[in-house]
C-alpha cells in the first residue's frame, strides 16, 4: 500500500515558549481528517533532499501538542538545537529558525501517542528538550493525585518556561528536577546520574524516558540493573543522536535498543 501524500500546511502563528523552543500553529485543509486528541504523538516534517543523487525526502520527527480537525489546525513545539550555529542545524531547525506566518511546510503522520499507564502507583518521566512536549502532555492527563518525578535536561533554566507555561494542569505530587546542560548531547550521563539520586517510591512505577540516544541508553542500562524482574511496563526511546542525521540515527537506534 502506498504511503499517503504529505499534508501541505501553512504557518498560522509562532510563539516563543523559551529561548530554545518555539510553538508553531499550522493550518491547512488537509488537516480535516487528522485525528483529534493526538497530544504526545509524533508527526514528521518533510523536506526536499539537497543531495542531487537521492530522491528520498528528509524527514524530522516532532511532537504534537494539540490537533483540531474542525479548525483544521495542528500545534507543535520545536526544539531549536544549535540556534546560534546554523552550520550545525538540521533541516527542521533551519526551517524553524527562518519560518514566519505564511511559511509553508509538508507534514506526514501522525504516529502513535506516547502516554503513560495511568494505573501505575507512581511515575518517572525523564528526557531532554525534545521530549518536553510529550512529558507535558503526560502530566496534563494524569490524575491530580498522581505522584512521582520528572527529570528534564534543558540548555538554560529559562527553557523551563516551555514546560511551566501550563503548570496549573500538573499534579502537585509530581516533583520536578532540572538539569542545565548548555551543550545538548554532551555529558550523556547527566540524566542517568540524576535519576539514580532520586527517592524510589513504593509500589509499581511507570517509566517514560526519551531524548538523545547515548543519554537514553545509559539511563536504560541503569534502570535494568536497578529493577528486579519482571520489569515494569515502560516507554524508553531516543529522539535524536548528536552528530547523526535523522536517517543515521534511526539505524543506530534500531541496533542499540534491540540489544
Amino acid at each position: 500500500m502506498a504511503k499517503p501524500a504529505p499534508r501541505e500546511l501553512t504557518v498560522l502563528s509562532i510563539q516563543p515558549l523559551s529561548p530554545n523552543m518555539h510553538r508553531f500553529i499550522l493550518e491547512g485543509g488537509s488537516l480535516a481528517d487528522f485525528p483529534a486528541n493526538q497530544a504526545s504523538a509524533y508527526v514528521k516534517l518533510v523536506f526536499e533532499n539537497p543531495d542531487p543523487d537521492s530522491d528520498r525526502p528528509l524527514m524530522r520527527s516532532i511532537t504534537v501538542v494539540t490537533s483540531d480537525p474542525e479548525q483544521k489546525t495542528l500545534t507543535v513545539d520545536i526544539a531549536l538545537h544549535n540556534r546560534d550555529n546554523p552550520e550545525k542545524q538540521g533541516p527542521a531547525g533551519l526551517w524553524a529558525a527562518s519560518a514566519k506566518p505564511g511559511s509553508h511546510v509538508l507534514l506526514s503522520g501522525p504516529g502513535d501517542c506516547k502516554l503513560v499507564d495511568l494505573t501505575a502507583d507512581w511515575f518517572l518521566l525523564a528526557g531532554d528538550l525534545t521530549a518536553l512536549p510529550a512529558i507535558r502532555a503526560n502530566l496534563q492527563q494524569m490524575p491530580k493525585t498522581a505522584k512521582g518525578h520528572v527529570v528534564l535536561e534543558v540548555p538554560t533554566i529559562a527553557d523551563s518556561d516551555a514546560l511551566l507555561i501550563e503548570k496549573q494542569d500538573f499534579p502537585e505530587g509530581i516533583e520536578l528536577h532540572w538539569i542545565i546542560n548548555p551543550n545538548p548531547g554532551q555529558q550523556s550521563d547527566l540524566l542517568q546520574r540524576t535519576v539514580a539520586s532520586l527517592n524510589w517510591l513504593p509500589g509499581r512505577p511507570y517509566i517514560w524516558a526519551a531524548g538523545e540516544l547515548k543519554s537514553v541508553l545509559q539511563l536504560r542500562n541503569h534502570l535494568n540493573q536497578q529493577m528486579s524482574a519482571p520489569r515494569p511496563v515502560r516507554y524508553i526511546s531516543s529522539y535524536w543522536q548528536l552528530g547523526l542525521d535523522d536517517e543515521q540515527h534511526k539505524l543506530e537506534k534500531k541496533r542499540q535498543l534491540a540489544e
Side-chain angles (χ1 to χ4, degrees):
M1 180 181 295
K3 292 183 178 180
R7 305 170 193 268
E8 297 184 13
L9 304 179
T10 302
V11 176
L12 179 62
S13 66
I14 304 172
Q15 176 189 2
L17 299 184
S18 74
N20 293 289
M21 179 164 281
H22 287 183
R23 173 165 292 178
F24 292 76
I25 299 180
L26 309 175
E27 64 175 353
S30 61
L31 290 172
D33 65 350
F34 194 98
N37 303 317
Q38 293 299 295
S40 83
Y42 70 89
V43 290
K44 290 182 177 289
L45 300 182
V46 183
F47 303 96
E48 183 178 351
N49 196 322
D51 183 354
D53 297 325
S54 176
D55 59 359
R56 296 184 61 183
L58 299 179
M59 294 190 287
R60 298 296 182 264
S61 299
I62 54 175
T63 302
V64 174
V65 177
T66 61
S67 55
D68 189 339
E70 290 189 3
Q71 296 296 319
K72 301 181 180 62
T73 60
L74 179 72
T75 301
V76 296
D77 292 346
I78 300 180
L80 306 176
H81 286 153
N82 301 307
R83 58 178 308 182
D84 297 324
N85 191 345
E87 293 183 357
K88 292 186 177 181
Q89 286 189 4
L94 289 171
W95 176 83
S98 62
K100 56 186 178 181
S103 295
H104 299 285
V105 69
L106 297 177
L107 180 142
S108 67
D112 296 334
C113 291
K114 308 298 182 183
L115 297 174
V116 300
D117 176 5
L118 293 178
T119 67
D121 297 314
W122 64 279
F123 305 92
L124 170 61
L125 297 90
D128 61 18
L129 194 64
T130 63
L132 187 152
I135 289 176
R136 186 201 306 121
N138 273 292
L139 288 171
Q140 289 174 320
Q141 58 102 38
M142 287 181 185
K144 294 300 182 182
T145 56
K147 298 180 181 179
H149 300 280
V150 168
V151 180
L152 265 168
E153 180 182 330
V154 293
T156 71
I157 190 58
D159 286 305
S160 63
D161 291 345
L163 180 75
L164 301 179
I165 187 173
E166 291 159 352
K167 188 176 185 298
Q168 67 273 11
D169 295 331
F170 300 169
E172 294 183 0
I174 298 291
E175 186 175 355
L176 300 179
H177 309 265
W178 296 102
I179 304 170
I180 308 305
N181 181 9
N183 299 298
Q186 300 181 30
Q187 295 182 274
S188 57
D189 64 336
L190 291 176
L191 210 60
Q192 175 266 318
R193 288 197 287 115
T194 303
V195 169
S197 71
L198 298 178
N199 176 36
W200 209 252
L201 302 181
R204 178 176 60 91
Y206 186 94
I207 297 170
W208 191 107
E212 200 274 338
L213 180 60
K214 292 181 180 179
S215 176
V216 167
L217 286 174
Q218 290 201 37
L219 178 58
R220 183 196 66 172
N221 292 340
H222 164 74
L223 292 169
N224 286 348
Q225 294 171 6
Q226 174 175 328
M227 307 191 72
S228 59
R231 296 171 188 158
V233 178
R234 63 190 188 181
Y235 169 80
I236 298 179
S237 182
S238 68
Y239 285 177
W240 65 290
Q241 183 176 359
L242 184 66
L244 297 185
D245 63 29
D246 201 54
E247 287 71 29
Q248 293 169 330
H249 163 248
K250 183 178 180 180
L251 293 174
E252 184 65 11
K253 171 183 177 178
K254 183 176 180 180
R255 184 182 73 84
Q256 294 273 12
L257 292 181
E259 295 180 355

